[in-house]
Every structure is written in structure tokens, then in C-alpha cells.
Amino acid sequence: MKSGVPILNEPGGFTYIEALISLSIAAFVMALMPSILMQFDAVQSPKKGFEMDFFIFEITEVHEGSTAVAADGENEVITFKTAKGDISYRKYGSRIVKSVEGSGFVTVMFEVEQFNLRETDTHVVLTVASGEGENSEALLFTK
């Protein structure tokens, strides 16, 4: 370039061969993409019971802070007496709901198949199953 005027005859840019090589590499990568995506689709992550884990963590924490535990096997309600008041858990439809002092209900777990209570002289046993029986836990609470 001389005196600010571009000269069109100067060599620059890509050659035809360079452009063909670039396009063939891009075409090769695009041809591989469906098979790569099918490999990712075939890999299934294991189903985790995160809701069950959170429910167990929460009910265990409530139990640790409670002074007494009561179970109503007929209505399938477990109640913990705490400084915040009575905290109870029950199955409602296919969910487990939590209430404090009998007011308001918060869903703590979905797709519950089983919520059974069994009471002994010293313990309350809660059996919970969810997700078509994939996750099942038995919890033992000291009265």
C-alpha cells in the first residue's frame, strides 16, 4: 500500500486449497456430531433419590431438636414436640406434607408410594417408599 491507496494486486487471503481443507474438516466434524450426541443420549445417569435424602435430613433434624415423638397410625401422622411447636408429617395423596401447629402445609416430598407408622413402647418406626419402590427407607425415632 502506497500513499494510502490500496493496491488490489497484492497477495493475501486464502487460497482455494486452504478453503477446501477448512471446509472438509468442518464437514467431517459435522458428520461425527450425530453419533457423538447418540453416545451421550445412550448414557443414562442413575436415578437419585434427592427428595428422599432431603426429607430424611429434615425429619432427622426435627427429631434431634424435639422433646417428644407421637405417632397416630390410624391417620398416619407423626408429630414432634419442639420449641417451635408441634411439627407433624403426613401423607397427603402422593406427597408428604409438613405442618407446624396444625396450620399450613408444605410439601416436602413428591411421588410417595408408602408412608407407614409403627409404634412400640420406646420407638416410632416410619417406613417411606417413593418412585415406584426405587427408594425405600425405614426410620427409627426414639420417643
Side-chain angles (χ1 to χ4, degrees):
M1 183 147 80
K2 296 179 185 175
S3 68
V5 178
I7 299 173
L8 300 177
N9 294 334
E10 286 187 13
F14 294 107
T15 65
Y16 182 69
I17 298 295
E18 291 172 334
L20 279 176
I21 291 172
S22 309
L23 289 174
S24 63
I25 290 172
F28 180 72
V29 169
M30 285 188 268
L32 288 177
M33 287 308 289
S35 62
I36 291 170
L37 292 176
M38 285 177 25
Q39 289 293 328
F40 280 115
D41 205 24
V43 175
Q44 294 180 2
S45 60
K47 292 189 176 183
K48 302 270 184 184
F50 291 119
E51 280 187 346
M52 179 75 79
D53 293 341
F54 287 128
F55 170 68
I56 291 170
F57 177 74
E58 179 180 325
I59 199 167
T60 303
E61 190 175 316
V62 169
H63 176 254
E64 288 173 355
S66 68
T67 56
V69 179
D72 181 358
E74 187 175 316
N75 295 319
E76 293 185 331
V77 178
I78 185 167
T79 305
F80 300 93
K81 298 204 180 292
T82 67
K84 295 178 182 178
D86 290 352
I87 299 176
S88 60
Y89 296 87
R90 74 183 76 215
K91 184 177 179 205
Y92 182 76
S94 64
R95 305 176 299 164
I96 295 177
V97 294
K98 172 185 174 181
S99 65
V100 179
E101 288 294 318
S103 64
F105 294 96
V106 176
T107 301
V108 292
M109 193 169 158
F110 292 94
E111 297 181 21
V112 176
E113 301 289 326
Q114 179 183 4
F115 185 89
N116 294 332
L117 291 168
R118 187 171 43 93
E119 192 171 8
T120 66
D121 293 337
T122 58
H123 294 90
V124 174
V125 180
L126 171 63
T127 306
V128 179
S130 70
E132 299 174 7
E134 292 174 2
N135 296 321
S136 180
E137 293 288 336
L139 306 167
L140 182 69
F141 300 109
T142 305
K143 288 185 172 182

